[in-house]
Amino acid sequence: MSNVIQNNIPVIAIDGPSASGKGTVAQLAASRLGFHYLDSGALYRIVAWATQQRNIAWDDAIAVTECAKTLIIEFINEQVFLNNTDISNEIRTEAIGKGASQVAVHAPLRAALLDMQHGFCRAPGLVADGRDMGTVVFPNAELKIFLTAKTETRAQRRYQQLLAKNQVSLDFSNTYGSILQDLLERDARDKNRASAPLTLADDAILLETDNLSISAAVDNVLYNFQQKISK
Ligand code: DC
C-alpha cells in the first residue's frame, strides 16, 4: 500500500459528509503546500455516470465493478476525463452525486478503486478528500481531518453552489427542501453502509465549519500539519 509508512510521502486525509466544504479546503491546502490532490468522490461519480450511460443498474455490484475496471480515468488540472472525454460538468449534478453514493456501497467496487487512489500518493505529498481517506485508503496518513457542518448549513451551501451553476430554480422553498432531503438520504447511506462507512477515525481532528471561513479552515489544516511534521 502506498502511504506514509511505506514510502515516507506525507498524506493529509480530509473526510466528511457532502457539502461540508472538504473539497475546497483540500484543494486549497494542496495548492498551498504544493502537494497532489485526490478528489476520491469524483471516482465514484465517474462510475455512476459511466454505468448510467451503459444502462447498468447502480445496485448491480458485479456489473458496476466490471464496468469500473474498464474505465480510463484522468485528472488534468481541474478537469476530469473519461476515455479521453471531458466529463467534468456531467459528474457534478445532484443526480450523479446520488448515484455515486449508491454505487459506493459495493465492496468489490471500493476494492477495485483502491490501487488507483494509492497511485495519487506521490512526492512531495498528497491531500486526499472523501469519506474513507483516513480510515481505509490512507490509514497511516500523517494528518486526518474530519470536516463537517450542520445539515442545514450544508444544504444552504449546496443550494448556493447549484444556483451559481444554474442547476436549481430560484424558488428557495422548493429546491432547498429537496436538497436538504437528498443530503439527509446521502448522509444516511454513506454512514450506514457496511463497507468503509463515513466515520470519524480515532485519530482524526474534528473541524466544524458552520462558523468558520474557508481560509480559516485551510489555515487550521496547515497549522495541524506543521504540528504533526515538526514532532
Ligand atoms: O464527495 P462527493 O460528494 O463527490 O462524493 C459522492 C459520493 O461518493 C458520496 O456520497 C459517497 C461516495 N464516496 C465514497 O463512498 N467514498 C469516498 N472516499 C468518496 C466518495
Side-chain angles (χ1 to χ4, degrees):
M1 187 192 298
S2 320
N3 57 38
V4 74
I5 295 270
Q6 270 77 13
N7 57 17
N8 274 333
I9 293 173
V11 174
I12 300 178
I14 304 186
D15 289 306
S18 304
S20 56
K22 61 191 183 329
T24 311
V25 170
Q27 248 175 312
L28 288 169
S31 122
R32 292 255 300 265
L33 291 164
F35 280 12
H36 297 283
Y37 167 58
L38 166 62
D39 169 8
S40 63
L43 299 176
Y44 293 94
R45 286 172 178 268
I46 293 167
V47 173
W49 188 80
T51 45
Q52 188 182 58
Q53 295 290 304
R54 291 157 178 78
N55 290 318
I56 295 169
W58 286 332
D59 62 0
D60 186 339
I62 294 173
V64 165
T65 307
E66 287 313 308
C67 172
K69 287 179 182 167
T70 67
L71 305 177
I72 300 171
I73 296 170
E74 283 175 295
F75 292 90
I76 302 175
N77 300 323
E78 284 173 21
Q79 281 148 305
V80 177
F81 290 83
L82 173 61
N83 302 336
N84 290 320
T85 304
D86 183 353
I87 55 159
S88 316
N89 293 330
E90 285 79 349
I91 64 165
R92 294 290 160 204
T93 65
E94 282 303 272
I96 292 298
K98 214 167 170 173
S101 168
Q102 288 176 49
V103 297
V105 303
H106 304 313
L109 172 68
R110 305 195 70 87
L113 294 178
L114 262 186
D115 276 353
M116 190 191 300
Q117 295 178 82
H118 292 154
F120 280 80
C121 186
R122 299 191 305 271
L126 175 70
V127 182
D129 90 63
R131 304 292 185 291
D132 61 343
M133 297 297 98
T135 50
V136 174
V137 181
F138 299 109
N140 298 313
E142 198 83 57
L143 174 66
K144 298 180 187 178
I145 299 281
F146 192 91
L147 208 74
T148 190
K150 291 193 184 73
T151 319
E152 291 73 15
T153 309
R154 294 186 284 119
Q156 294 268 7
R157 287 180 188 159
R158 179 52 54 84
Y159 176 82
Q160 295 301 335
Q161 283 168 358
L162 294 174
L163 196 61
K165 290 196 281 183
N166 291 323
Q167 285 186 17
V168 288
S169 86
L170 286 165
D171 182 346
F172 186 79
S173 58
N174 267 343
T175 48
Y176 173 78
S178 62
I179 290 168
L180 183 66
Q181 188 56 36
D182 277 359
L183 270 187
L184 288 169
E185 277 171 29
R186 197 118 79 86
D187 283 357
R189 192 164 34 232
D190 294 348
K191 283 183 198 161
N192 297 326
R193 67 184 178 218
S195 178
L198 171 67
T199 182
L200 181 72
D202 291 342
D203 48 353
I205 295 171
L206 178 67
L207 202 57
E208 285 169 345
T209 64
D210 296 270
N211 298 308
L212 204 62
S213 68
I214 288 169
S215 68
V218 175
D219 286 346
N220 186 304
V221 171
L222 296 182
Y223 171 79
N224 279 298
F225 181 61
Q226 291 308 329
Q227 295 290 308
K228 291 271 182 189
I229 57 173
S230 59
K231 274 184 191 160

